[in-house]
Structure formats: C-alpha cells, structure tokens
Amino acid sequence: MNFQVYNRDLCVGNIRILGVASSSLLLVGDAQTIQLASVFDTPPESLIIGPFVPLTPK
C-alpha cells in the first residue's frame, strides 16, 4: 500500500474512547514506522465472541 502524507498543523483538544477492540491502535502525531503484530494461542473451543466491553469512567 502506498499513500501520500501531507504534514500540517494538528491540534487535538479531547479524545474520548468508549471501548477497545482486541486489536487496536490510537495514534495522534507523527510516526516513522508502525508495525503491528498479534499472537493468539488460545484453543478455538475456548473463544467466546460477544459484545465489546466498554471502558468505565473513573
């Protein structure tokens, strides 16, 4: 995948995260390289797929 990036001013005032998926990335700002990896070593019969668990406010 090739894409063009134009770096301009960025101002982030507030970020609200309501839930987190099993594979997530939140990036604000610059990054030279992003490399994501995942390992899943649980047997398939023990996998429970259900609704996402929301983060609770403090």
Side-chain angles (χ1 to χ4, degrees):
M1 175 192 312
N2 294 323
F3 60 95
Q4 184 105 18
V5 176
Y6 298 98
N7 288 323
R8 297 195 173 115
D9 292 338
L10 175 68
C11 179
V12 178
N14 189 17
I15 296 177
R16 182 175 178 208
I17 300 174
L18 299 177
V20 177
S22 56
S23 265
S24 300
L25 171 69
L26 172 66
L27 175 67
V28 177
D30 294 333
Q32 183 70 28
T33 303
I34 299 175
Q35 182 176 353
L36 303 174
S38 177
V39 176
F40 191 78
D41 62 353
T42 304
E45 59 271 7
S46 67
L47 179 64
I48 299 172
I49 299 176
F52 293 102
V53 178
L55 298 176
T56 57
K58 291 184 179 180

mmCIF file of all heavy atoms in Angstrom:
data_model
loop_
_atom_site.group_PDB
_atom_site.id
_atom_site.type_symbol
_atom_site.label_atom_id
_atom_site.label_comp_id
_atom_site.label_asym_id
_atom_site.label_seq_id
_atom_site.Cartn_x
_atom_site.Cartn_y
_atom_site.Cartn_z
ATOM 1 N N MET A 1 0.840 -1.157 0.000
ATOM 2 C CA MET A 1 0.000 0.000 0.000
ATOM 3 C C MET A 1 0.894 1.232 0.000
ATOM 4 O O MET A 1 1.800 1.360 0.816
ATOM 5 C CB MET A 1 -0.889 0.000 1.251
ATOM 6 C CG MET A 1 -1.699 1.251 1.367
ATOM 7 S SD MET A 1 -2.529 1.519 2.951
ATOM 8 C CE MET A 1 -3.292 -0.005 3.275
ATOM 9 N N ASN A 2 0.656 2.134 -0.911
ATOM 10 C CA ASN A 2 1.369 3.408 -0.977
ATOM 11 C C ASN A 2 0.369 4.535 -0.795
ATOM 12 O O ASN A 2 -0.700 4.533 -1.396
ATOM 13 C CB ASN A 2 2.070 3.573 -2.330
ATOM 14 C CG ASN A 2 3.170 2.562 -2.517
ATOM 15 O OD1 ASN A 2 3.862 2.227 -1.569
ATOM 16 N ND2 ASN A 2 3.329 2.077 -3.727
ATOM 17 N N PHE A 3 0.728 5.498 0.043
ATOM 18 C CA PHE A 3 -0.130 6.658 0.222
ATOM 19 C C PHE A 3 0.724 7.876 0.510
ATOM 20 O O PHE A 3 1.850 7.762 0.956
ATOM 21 C CB PHE A 3 -1.175 6.445 1.320
ATOM 22 C CG PHE A 3 -0.587 6.167 2.678
ATOM 23 C CD1 PHE A 3 -0.405 7.194 3.578
ATOM 24 C CD2 PHE A 3 -0.233 4.887 3.058
ATOM 25 C CE1 PHE A 3 0.132 6.957 4.833
ATOM 26 C CE2 PHE A 3 0.312 4.633 4.301
ATOM 27 C CZ PHE A 3 0.489 5.658 5.187
ATOM 28 N N GLN A 4 0.180 9.017 0.174
ATOM 29 C CA GLN A 4 0.877 10.294 0.333
ATOM 30 C C GLN A 4 0.400 10.971 1.609
ATOM 31 O O GLN A 4 -0.797 11.008 1.884
ATOM 32 C CB GLN A 4 0.575 11.200 -0.860
ATOM 33 C CG GLN A 4 1.325 12.493 -0.843
ATOM 34 C CD GLN A 4 2.458 12.498 -1.840
ATOM 35 O OE1 GLN A 4 2.474 11.698 -2.742
ATOM 36 N NE2 GLN A 4 3.392 13.386 -1.655
ATOM 37 N N VAL A 5 1.333 11.502 2.397
ATOM 38 C CA VAL A 5 1.009 12.163 3.656
ATOM 39 C C VAL A 5 1.432 13.617 3.576
ATOM 40 O O VAL A 5 2.557 13.910 3.181
ATOM 41 C CB VAL A 5 1.729 11.479 4.847
ATOM 42 C CG1 VAL A 5 1.461 12.219 6.139
ATOM 43 C CG2 VAL A 5 1.308 10.027 4.952
ATOM 44 N N TYR A 6 0.531 14.524 3.923
ATOM 45 C CA TYR A 6 0.832 15.941 3.991
ATOM 46 C C TYR A 6 0.825 16.340 5.463
ATOM 47 O O TYR A 6 -0.221 16.338 6.103
ATOM 48 C CB TYR A 6 -0.215 16.758 3.223
ATOM 49 C CG TYR A 6 -0.256 16.428 1.760
ATOM 50 C CD1 TYR A 6 -1.196 15.549 1.252
ATOM 51 C CD2 TYR A 6 0.666 16.989 0.881
ATOM 52 C CE1 TYR A 6 -1.232 15.235 -0.087
ATOM 53 C CE2 TYR A 6 0.634 16.679 -0.462
ATOM 54 C CZ TYR A 6 -0.316 15.799 -0.938
ATOM 55 O OH TYR A 6 -0.340 15.493 -2.270
ATOM 56 N N ASN A 7 1.978 16.674 6.012
ATOM 57 C CA ASN A 7 2.075 17.073 7.407
ATOM 58 C C ASN A 7 1.670 18.536 7.541
ATOM 59 O O ASN A 7 2.262 19.417 6.958
ATOM 60 C CB ASN A 7 3.501 16.887 7.937
ATOM 61 C CG ASN A 7 3.840 15.422 8.106
ATOM 62 O OD1 ASN A 7 2.984 14.648 8.491
ATOM 63 N ND2 ASN A 7 5.060 15.053 7.821
ATOM 64 N N ARG A 8 0.625 18.767 8.320
ATOM 65 C CA ARG A 8 0.134 20.106 8.597
ATOM 66 C C ARG A 8 -0.079 20.234 10.095
ATOM 67 O O ARG A 8 0.075 19.276 10.841
ATOM 68 C CB ARG A 8 -1.169 20.348 7.839
ATOM 69 C CG ARG A 8 -0.964 20.278 6.331
ATOM 70 C CD ARG A 8 -2.146 20.873 5.588
ATOM 71 N NE ARG A 8 -1.833 20.938 4.181
ATOM 72 C CZ ARG A 8 -2.460 20.250 3.242
ATOM 73 N NH1 ARG A 8 -3.440 19.437 3.567
ATOM 74 N NH2 ARG A 8 -2.132 20.377 1.985
ATOM 75 N N ASP A 9 -0.453 21.421 10.543
ATOM 76 C CA ASP A 9 -0.696 21.638 11.970
ATOM 77 C C ASP A 9 -1.828 20.739 12.457
ATOM 78 O O ASP A 9 -2.817 20.524 11.758
ATOM 79 C CB ASP A 9 -1.052 23.091 12.249
ATOM 80 C CG ASP A 9 0.126 24.020 12.017
ATOM 81 O OD1 ASP A 9 1.271 23.523 12.058
ATOM 82 O OD2 ASP A 9 -0.099 25.228 11.807
ATOM 83 N N LEU A 10 -1.648 20.228 13.661
ATOM 84 C CA LEU A 10 -2.644 19.359 14.269
ATOM 85 C C LEU A 10 -2.867 19.805 15.702
ATOM 86 O O LEU A 10 -1.920 19.977 16.464
ATOM 87 C CB LEU A 10 -2.155 17.902 14.255
ATOM 88 C CG LEU A 10 -3.027 16.875 14.950
ATOM 89 C CD1 LEU A 10 -4.336 16.705 14.187
ATOM 90 C CD2 LEU A 10 -2.306 15.551 15.047
ATOM 91 N N CYS A 11 -4.118 20.014 16.068
ATOM 92 C CA CYS A 11 -4.463 20.393 17.437
ATOM 93 C C CYS A 11 -5.580 19.463 17.907
ATOM 94 O O CYS A 11 -6.675 19.471 17.355
ATOM 95 C CB CYS A 11 -4.920 21.845 17.491
ATOM 96 S SG CYS A 11 -5.380 22.360 19.144
ATOM 97 N N VAL A 12 -5.278 18.626 18.897
ATOM 98 C CA VAL A 12 -6.259 17.689 19.447
ATOM 99 C C VAL A 12 -6.679 18.218 20.808
ATOM 100 O O VAL A 12 -5.871 18.316 21.723
ATOM 101 C CB VAL A 12 -5.662 16.276 19.574
ATOM 102 C CG1 VAL A 12 -6.671 15.332 20.187
ATOM 103 C CG2 VAL A 12 -5.207 15.769 18.211
ATOM 104 N N GLY A 13 -7.945 18.545 20.935
ATOM 105 C CA GLY A 13 -8.431 19.091 22.190
ATOM 106 C C GLY A 13 -8.892 18.025 23.160
ATOM 107 O O GLY A 13 -8.650 18.104 24.348
ATOM 108 N N ASN A 14 -9.540 16.972 22.652
ATOM 109 C CA ASN A 14 -10.112 15.964 23.528
ATOM 110 C C ASN A 14 -10.248 14.657 22.764
ATOM 111 O O ASN A 14 -10.627 14.657 21.590
ATOM 112 C CB ASN A 14 -11.480 16.438 24.030
ATOM 113 C CG ASN A 14 -12.051 15.546 25.103
ATOM 114 O OD1 ASN A 14 -11.323 14.757 25.699
ATOM 115 N ND2 ASN A 14 -13.331 15.677 25.351
ATOM 116 N N ILE A 15 -9.950 13.545 23.413
ATOM 117 C CA ILE A 15 -10.155 12.217 22.837
ATOM 118 C C ILE A 15 -10.997 11.428 23.825
ATOM 119 O O ILE A 15 -10.665 11.355 25.009
ATOM 120 C CB ILE A 15 -8.819 11.489 22.590
ATOM 121 C CG1 ILE A 15 -7.993 12.237 21.557
ATOM 122 C CG2 ILE A 15 -9.080 10.058 22.131
ATOM 123 C CD1 ILE A 15 -6.633 11.633 21.318
ATOM 124 N N ARG A 16 -12.090 10.844 23.342
ATOM 125 C CA ARG A 16 -12.958 10.036 24.198
ATOM 126 C C ARG A 16 -13.009 8.636 23.617
ATOM 127 O O ARG A 16 -13.447 8.445 22.479
ATOM 128 C CB ARG A 16 -14.346 10.645 24.247
ATOM 129 C CG ARG A 16 -15.284 9.908 25.141
ATOM 130 C CD ARG A 16 -16.607 10.633 25.235
ATOM 131 N NE ARG A 16 -17.504 9.850 26.072
ATOM 132 C CZ ARG A 16 -18.810 9.869 25.954
ATOM 133 N NH1 ARG A 16 -19.365 10.640 25.039
ATOM 134 N NH2 ARG A 16 -19.554 9.140 26.734
ATOM 135 N N ILE A 17 -12.575 7.644 24.377
ATOM 136 C CA ILE A 17 -12.566 6.254 23.937
ATOM 137 C C ILE A 17 -13.637 5.516 24.719
ATOM 138 O O ILE A 17 -13.595 5.465 25.947
ATOM 139 C CB ILE A 17 -11.176 5.619 24.153
ATOM 140 C CG1 ILE A 17 -10.122 6.381 23.350
ATOM 141 C CG2 ILE A 17 -11.210 4.148 23.763
ATOM 142 C CD1 ILE A 17 -8.710 5.922 23.599
ATOM 143 N N LEU A 18 -14.592 4.921 24.016
ATOM 144 C CA LEU A 18 -15.691 4.220 24.667
ATOM 145 C C LEU A 18 -15.437 2.724 24.793
ATOM 146 O O LEU A 18 -16.059 2.065 25.609
ATOM 147 C CB LEU A 18 -16.984 4.453 23.886
ATOM 148 C CG LEU A 18 -17.419 5.915 23.781
ATOM 149 C CD1 LEU A 18 -18.668 6.029 22.932
ATOM 150 C CD2 LEU A 18 -17.649 6.488 25.163
ATOM 151 N N GLY A 19 -14.570 2.162 23.992
ATOM 152 C CA GLY A 19 -14.280 0.737 24.048
ATOM 153 C C GLY A 19 -13.006 0.439 23.298
ATOM 154 O O GLY A 19 -12.512 1.265 22.542
ATOM 155 N N VAL A 20 -12.469 -0.732 23.537
ATOM 156 C CA VAL A 20 -11.223 -1.142 22.901
ATOM 157 C C VAL A 20 -11.441 -2.505 22.267
ATOM 158 O O VAL A 20 -11.921 -3.430 22.928
ATOM 159 C CB VAL A 20 -10.064 -1.210 23.929
ATOM 160 C CG1 VAL A 20 -8.798 -1.695 23.280
ATOM 161 C CG2 VAL A 20 -9.847 0.140 24.582
ATOM 162 N N ALA A 21 -11.107 -2.642 21.004
ATOM 163 C CA ALA A 21 -11.217 -3.929 20.318
ATOM 164 C C ALA A 21 -10.010 -4.787 20.649
ATOM 165 O O ALA A 21 -9.054 -4.337 21.276
ATOM 166 C CB ALA A 21 -11.319 -3.705 18.812
ATOM 167 N N SER A 22 -10.042 -6.032 20.213
ATOM 168 C CA SER A 22 -8.937 -6.938 20.520
ATOM 169 C C SER A 22 -7.652 -6.507 19.825
ATOM 170 O O SER A 22 -6.572 -6.814 20.285
ATOM 171 C CB SER A 22 -9.303 -8.365 20.130
ATOM 172 O OG SER A 22 -9.656 -8.413 18.767
ATOM 173 N N SER A 23 -7.745 -5.836 18.713
ATOM 174 C CA SER A 23 -6.578 -5.264 18.026
ATOM 175 C C SER A 23 -6.843 -3.787 17.830
ATOM 176 O O SER A 23 -7.746 -3.421 17.087
ATOM 177 C CB SER A 23 -6.385 -5.911 16.662
ATOM 178 O OG SER A 23 -5.485 -6.949 16.710
ATOM 179 N N SER A 24 -6.088 -2.949 18.509
ATOM 180 C CA SER A 24 -6.369 -1.520 18.467
ATOM 181 C C SER A 24 -5.099 -0.711 18.339
ATOM 182 O O SER A 24 -4.037 -1.126 18.798
ATOM 183 C CB SER A 24 -7.083 -1.079 19.739
ATOM 184 O OG SER A 24 -8.287 -1.765 19.884
ATOM 185 N N LEU A 25 -5.215 0.450 17.706
ATOM 186 C CA LEU A 25 -4.127 1.414 17.617
ATOM 187 C C LEU A 25 -4.743 2.802 17.642
ATOM 188 O O LEU A 25 -5.641 3.098 16.865
ATOM 189 C CB LEU A 25 -3.323 1.232 16.330
ATOM 190 C CG LEU A 25 -2.295 2.325 16.021
ATOM 191 C CD1 LEU A 25 -1.158 2.266 17.025
ATOM 192 C CD2 LEU A 25 -1.781 2.179 14.620
ATOM 193 N N LEU A 26 -4.279 3.630 18.552
ATOM 194 C CA LEU A 26 -4.665 5.034 18.599
ATOM 195 C C LEU A 26 -3.386 5.828 18.446
ATOM 196 O O LEU A 26 -2.484 5.713 19.257
ATOM 197 C CB LEU A 26 -5.353 5.384 19.918
ATOM 198 C CG LEU A 26 -5.613 6.868 20.139
ATOM 199 C CD1 LEU A 26 -6.623 7.391 19.128
ATOM 200 C CD2 LEU A 26 -6.064 7.131 21.550
ATOM 201 N N LEU A 27 -3.304 6.616 17.394
ATOM 202 C CA LEU A 27 -2.097 7.380 17.106
ATOM 203 C C LEU A 27 -2.479 8.827 16.878
ATOM 204 O O LEU A 27 -3.315 9.124 16.030
ATOM 205 C CB LEU A 27 -1.402 6.819 15.861
ATOM 206 C CG LEU A 27 -0.196 7.591 15.359
ATOM 207 C CD1 LEU A 27 0.949 7.494 16.356
ATOM 208 C CD2 LEU A 27 0.254 7.062 14.012
ATOM 209 N N VAL A 28 -1.883 9.716 17.656
ATOM 210 C CA VAL A 28 -2.034 11.147 17.449
ATOM 211 C C VAL A 28 -0.635 11.700 17.328
ATOM 212 O O VAL A 28 0.143 11.645 18.267
ATOM 213 C CB VAL A 28 -2.782 11.816 18.623
ATOM 214 C CG1 VAL A 28 -2.855 13.315 18.409
ATOM 215 C CG2 VAL A 28 -4.161 11.217 18.785
ATOM 216 N N GLY A 29 -0.292 12.199 16.161
ATOM 217 C CA GLY A 29 1.048 12.724 15.948
ATOM 218 C C GLY A 29 1.742 11.995 14.808
ATOM 219 O O GLY A 29 1.108 11.373 13.975
ATOM 220 N N ASP A 30 3.056 12.081 14.810
ATOM 221 C CA ASP A 30 3.854 11.516 13.733
ATOM 222 C C ASP A 30 4.421 10.154 14.119
ATOM 223 O O ASP A 30 4.671 9.881 15.285
ATOM 224 C CB ASP A 30 5.027 12.436 13.392
ATOM 225 C CG ASP A 30 4.562 13.763 12.808
ATOM 226 O OD1 ASP A 30 3.482 13.771 12.211
ATOM 227 O OD2 ASP A 30 5.285 14.752 12.949
ATOM 228 N N ALA A 31 4.646 9.341 13.116
ATOM 229 C CA ALA A 31 5.309 8.054 13.303
ATOM 230 C C ALA A 31 6.081 7.730 12.033
ATOM 231 O O ALA A 31 5.547 7.838 10.932
ATOM 232 C CB ALA A 31 4.305 6.949 13.593
ATOM 233 N N GLN A 32 7.317 7.361 12.180
ATOM 234 C CA GLN A 32 8.127 6.966 11.024
ATOM 235 C C GLN A 32 7.676 5.601 10.513
ATOM 236 O O GLN A 32 7.468 5.401 9.335
ATOM 237 C CB GLN A 32 9.614 6.928 11.423
ATOM 238 C CG GLN A 32 10.554 6.604 10.289
ATOM 239 C CD GLN A 32 10.657 7.729 9.281
ATOM 240 O OE1 GLN A 32 10.476 8.885 9.626
ATOM 241 N NE2 GLN A 32 10.939 7.388 8.048
ATOM 242 N N THR A 33 7.525 4.648 11.435
ATOM 243 C CA THR A 33 7.137 3.286 11.073
ATOM 244 C C THR A 33 6.158 2.754 12.104
ATOM 245 O O THR A 33 6.342 2.957 13.301
ATOM 246 C CB THR A 33 8.371 2.359 11.041
ATOM 247 O OG1 THR A 33 9.324 2.893 10.134
ATOM 248 C CG2 THR A 33 7.995 0.961 10.609
ATOM 249 N N ILE A 34 5.128 2.067 11.647
ATOM 250 C CA ILE A 34 4.188 1.388 12.532
ATOM 251 C C ILE A 34 4.180 -0.078 12.141
ATOM 252 O O ILE A 34 3.927 -0.413 10.989
ATOM 253 C CB ILE A 34 2.768 1.972 12.412
ATOM 254 C CG1 ILE A 34 2.764 3.439 12.812
ATOM 255 C CG2 ILE A 34 1.794 1.173 13.265
ATOM 256 C CD1 ILE A 34 1.441 4.106 12.616
ATOM 257 N N GLN A 35 4.464 -0.933 13.095
ATOM 258 C CA GLN A 35 4.452 -2.374 12.850
ATOM 259 C C GLN A 35 3.612 -3.025 13.932
ATOM 260 O O GLN A 35 3.903 -2.897 15.119
ATOM 261 C CB GLN A 35 5.864 -2.934 12.872
ATOM 262 C CG GLN A 35 5.919 -4.406 12.576
ATOM 263 C CD GLN A 35 7.346 -4.918 12.514
ATOM 264 O OE1 GLN A 35 8.295 -4.160 12.558
ATOM 265 N NE2 GLN A 35 7.484 -6.213 12.411
ATOM 266 N N LEU A 36 2.537 -3.680 13.528
ATOM 267 C CA LEU A 36 1.643 -4.326 14.468
ATOM 268 C C LEU A 36 1.738 -5.839 14.321
ATOM 269 O O LEU A 36 1.897 -6.347 13.225
ATOM 270 C CB LEU A 36 0.197 -3.881 14.223
ATOM 271 C CG LEU A 36 -0.064 -2.383 14.299
ATOM 272 C CD1 LEU A 36 -1.500 -2.078 13.898
ATOM 273 C CD2 LEU A 36 0.214 -1.877 15.693
ATOM 274 N N ALA A 37 1.662 -6.536 15.430
ATOM 275 C CA ALA A 37 1.697 -7.998 15.406
ATOM 276 C C ALA A 37 0.718 -8.522 16.440
ATOM 277 O O ALA A 37 0.400 -7.853 17.421
ATOM 278 C CB ALA A 37 3.100 -8.507 15.700
ATOM 279 N N SER A 38 0.245 -9.727 16.222
ATOM 280 C CA SER A 38 -0.694 -10.332 17.149
ATOM 281 C C SER A 38 -0.420 -11.825 17.240
ATOM 282 O O SER A 38 -0.098 -12.466 16.251
ATOM 283 C CB SER A 38 -2.125 -10.093 16.652
ATOM 284 O OG SER A 38 -3.030 -10.741 17.509
ATOM 285 N N VAL A 39 -0.540 -12.352 18.445
ATOM 286 C CA VAL A 39 -0.362 -13.790 18.664
ATOM 287 C C VAL A 39 -1.596 -14.286 19.386
ATOM 288 O O VAL A 39 -2.039 -13.689 20.364
ATOM 289 C CB VAL A 39 0.905 -14.065 19.509
ATOM 290 C CG1 VAL A 39 1.019 -15.531 19.814
ATOM 291 C CG2 VAL A 39 2.136 -13.563 18.802
ATOM 292 N N PHE A 40 -2.146 -15.392 18.913
ATOM 293 C CA PHE A 40 -3.360 -15.953 19.503
ATOM 294 C C PHE A 40 -3.084 -17.413 19.791
ATOM 295 O O PHE A 40 -2.984 -18.230 18.883
ATOM 296 C CB PHE A 40 -4.524 -15.791 18.516
ATOM 297 C CG PHE A 40 -5.859 -16.096 19.126
ATOM 298 C CD1 PHE A 40 -6.477 -15.170 19.938
ATOM 299 C CD2 PHE A 40 -6.486 -17.291 18.884
ATOM 300 C CE1 PHE A 40 -7.714 -15.438 20.497
ATOM 301 C CE2 PHE A 40 -7.718 -17.568 19.436
ATOM 302 C CZ PHE A 40 -8.329 -16.642 20.249
ATOM 303 N N ASP A 41 -2.910 -17.761 21.072
ATOM 304 C CA ASP A 41 -2.545 -19.137 21.407
ATOM 305 C C ASP A 41 -3.622 -19.862 22.194
ATOM 306 O O ASP A 41 -3.379 -20.898 22.794
ATOM 307 C CB ASP A 41 -1.228 -19.155 22.177
ATOM 308 C CG ASP A 41 -1.298 -18.411 23.497
ATOM 309 O OD1 ASP A 41 -2.331 -17.773 23.741
ATOM 310 O OD2 ASP A 41 -0.336 -18.476 24.265
ATOM 311 N N THR A 42 -4.843 -19.332 22.199
ATOM 312 C CA THR A 42 -5.948 -19.979 22.900
ATOM 313 C C THR A 42 -6.634 -20.958 21.952
ATOM 314 O O THR A 42 -6.838 -20.652 20.785
ATOM 315 C CB THR A 42 -6.960 -18.912 23.361
ATOM 316 O OG1 THR A 42 -6.249 -17.958 24.153
ATOM 317 C CG2 THR A 42 -8.080 -19.516 24.162
ATOM 318 N N PRO A 43 -6.994 -22.146 22.427
ATOM 319 C CA PRO A 43 -7.699 -23.098 21.551
ATOM 320 C C PRO A 43 -9.027 -22.512 21.061
ATOM 321 O O PRO A 43 -9.688 -21.762 21.797
ATOM 322 C CB PRO A 43 -7.955 -24.307 22.452
ATOM 323 C CG PRO A 43 -7.136 -24.107 23.664
ATOM 324 C CD PRO A 43 -6.764 -22.674 23.754
ATOM 325 N N PRO A 44 -9.414 -22.803 19.835
ATOM 326 C CA PRO A 44 -10.643 -22.224 19.275
ATOM 327 C C PRO A 44 -11.888 -22.518 20.104
ATOM 328 O O PRO A 44 -12.803 -21.708 20.154
ATOM 329 C CB PRO A 44 -10.748 -22.857 17.888
ATOM 330 C CG PRO A 44 -9.387 -23.360 17.578
ATOM 331 C CD PRO A 44 -8.725 -23.647 18.881
ATOM 332 N N GLU A 45 -11.964 -23.669 20.763
ATOM 333 C CA GLU A 45 -13.168 -24.017 21.514
ATOM 334 C C GLU A 45 -13.346 -23.156 22.774
ATOM 335 O O GLU A 45 -14.421 -23.094 23.350
ATOM 336 C CB GLU A 45 -13.185 -25.500 21.901
ATOM 337 C CG GLU A 45 -12.003 -25.938 22.742
ATOM 338 C CD GLU A 45 -10.816 -26.406 21.924
ATOM 339 O OE1 GLU A 45 -10.844 -26.282 20.684
ATOM 340 O OE2 GLU A 45 -9.863 -26.890 22.536
ATOM 341 N N SER A 46 -12.297 -22.470 23.215
ATOM 342 C CA SER A 46 -12.429 -21.616 24.391
ATOM 343 C C SER A 46 -12.687 -20.155 24.020
ATOM 344 O O SER A 46 -12.819 -19.317 24.896
ATOM 345 C CB SER A 46 -11.171 -21.711 25.255
ATOM 346 O OG SER A 46 -10.075 -21.151 24.579
ATOM 347 N N LEU A 47 -12.773 -19.855 22.741
ATOM 348 C CA LEU A 47 -13.012 -18.491 22.290
ATOM 349 C C LEU A 47 -14.478 -18.127 22.465
ATOM 350 O O LEU A 47 -15.366 -18.846 22.021
ATOM 351 C CB LEU A 47 -12.611 -18.344 20.817
ATOM 352 C CG LEU A 47 -12.831 -16.984 20.194
ATOM 353 C CD1 LEU A 47 -11.955 -15.946 20.877
ATOM 354 C CD2 LEU A 47 -12.518 -17.028 18.709
ATOM 355 N N ILE A 48 -14.725 -17.022 23.139
ATOM 356 C CA ILE A 48 -16.080 -16.524 23.335
ATOM 357 C C ILE A 48 -16.171 -15.185 22.610
ATOM 358 O O ILE A 48 -15.472 -14.241 22.955
ATOM 359 C CB ILE A 48 -16.398 -16.332 24.826
ATOM 360 C CG1 ILE A 48 -16.303 -17.668 25.559
ATOM 361 C CG2 ILE A 48 -17.780 -15.708 24.997
ATOM 362 C CD1 ILE A 48 -16.422 -17.548 27.055
ATOM 363 N N ILE A 49 -17.021 -15.122 21.595
ATOM 364 C CA ILE A 49 -17.204 -13.885 20.841
ATOM 365 C C ILE A 49 -18.490 -13.241 21.321
ATOM 366 O O ILE A 49 -19.558 -13.828 21.227
ATOM 367 C CB ILE A 49 -17.251 -14.156 19.331
ATOM 368 C CG1 ILE A 49 -15.934 -14.778 18.882
ATOM 369 C CG2 ILE A 49 -17.545 -12.878 18.565
ATOM 370 C CD1 ILE A 49 -15.900 -15.186 17.438
ATOM 371 N N GLY A 50 -18.365 -12.048 21.860
ATOM 372 C CA GLY A 50 -19.532 -11.344 22.378
ATOM 373 C C GLY A 50 -19.372 -9.860 22.170
ATOM 374 O O GLY A 50 -18.474 -9.410 21.470
ATOM 375 N N PRO A 51 -20.229 -9.077 22.795
ATOM 376 C CA PRO A 51 -20.134 -7.622 22.638
ATOM 377 C C PRO A 51 -18.863 -7.086 23.283
ATOM 378 O O PRO A 51 -18.304 -7.693 24.196
ATOM 379 C CB PRO A 51 -21.375 -7.104 23.353
ATOM 380 C CG PRO A 51 -21.749 -8.194 24.300
ATOM 381 C CD PRO A 51 -21.313 -9.478 23.660
ATOM 382 N N PHE A 52 -18.434 -5.936 22.793
ATOM 383 C CA PHE A 52 -17.258 -5.293 23.354
ATOM 384 C C PHE A 52 -17.565 -4.800 24.765
ATOM 385 O O PHE A 52 -18.670 -4.370 25.054
ATOM 386 C CB PHE A 52 -16.820 -4.110 22.483
ATOM 387 C CG PHE A 52 -16.324 -4.524 21.141
ATOM 388 C CD1 PHE A 52 -17.130 -4.384 20.026
ATOM 389 C CD2 PHE A 52 -15.065 -5.054 20.985
ATOM 390 C CE1 PHE A 52 -16.681 -4.759 18.785
ATOM 391 C CE2 PHE A 52 -14.604 -5.432 19.753
ATOM 392 C CZ PHE A 52 -15.412 -5.284 18.647
ATOM 393 N N VAL A 53 -16.592 -4.853 25.626
ATOM 394 C CA VAL A 53 -16.753 -4.370 26.991
ATOM 395 C C VAL A 53 -16.345 -2.903 27.018
ATOM 396 O O VAL A 53 -15.195 -2.575 26.720
ATOM 397 C CB VAL A 53 -15.890 -5.185 27.972
ATOM 398 C CG1 VAL A 53 -16.026 -4.626 29.380
ATOM 399 C CG2 VAL A 53 -16.272 -6.651 27.917
ATOM 400 N N PRO A 54 -17.264 -1.992 27.346
ATOM 401 C CA PRO A 54 -16.917 -0.569 27.343
ATOM 402 C C PRO A 54 -15.987 -0.229 28.511
ATOM 403 O O PRO A 54 -16.018 -0.889 29.548
ATOM 404 C CB PRO A 54 -18.251 0.139 27.473
ATOM 405 C CG PRO A 54 -19.139 -0.861 28.117
ATOM 406 C CD PRO A 54 -18.653 -2.225 27.677
ATOM 407 N N LEU A 55 -15.179 0.794 28.311
ATOM 408 C CA LEU A 55 -14.342 1.282 29.390
ATOM 409 C C LEU A 55 -15.216 2.061 30.360
ATOM 410 O O LEU A 55 -16.066 2.835 29.956
ATOM 411 C CB LEU A 55 -13.241 2.192 28.833
ATOM 412 C CG LEU A 55 -12.266 1.531 27.863
ATOM 413 C CD1 LEU A 55 -11.302 2.584 27.316
ATOM 414 C CD2 LEU A 55 -11.491 0.428 28.548
ATOM 415 N N THR A 56 -15.017 1.868 31.646
ATOM 416 C CA THR A 56 -15.814 2.586 32.635
ATOM 417 C C THR A 56 -15.130 3.900 32.996
ATOM 418 O O THR A 56 -13.903 3.946 33.113
ATOM 419 C CB THR A 56 -15.997 1.739 33.905
ATOM 420 O OG1 THR A 56 -14.714 1.396 34.420
ATOM 421 C CG2 THR A 56 -16.769 0.481 33.594
ATOM 422 N N PRO A 57 -15.903 4.963 33.173
ATOM 423 C CA PRO A 57 -15.298 6.244 33.554
ATOM 424 C C PRO A 57 -14.764 6.170 34.979
ATOM 425 O O PRO A 57 -15.293 5.428 35.806
ATOM 426 C CB PRO A 57 -16.439 7.244 33.428
ATOM 427 C CG PRO A 57 -17.680 6.421 33.511
ATOM 428 C CD PRO A 57 -17.332 5.051 32.996
ATOM 429 N N LYS A 58 -13.751 6.956 35.248
ATOM 430 C CA LYS A 58 -13.151 6.964 36.596
ATOM 431 C C LYS A 58 -14.022 7.706 37.559
ATOM 432 O O LYS A 58 -14.729 8.588 37.292
ATOM 433 C CB LYS A 58 -11.759 7.609 36.544
ATOM 434 C CG LYS A 58 -10.787 6.762 35.805
ATOM 435 C CD LYS A 58 -9.416 7.391 35.864
ATOM 436 C CE LYS A 58 -8.399 6.510 35.139
ATOM 437 N NZ LYS A 58 -7.087 7.032 35.137
#
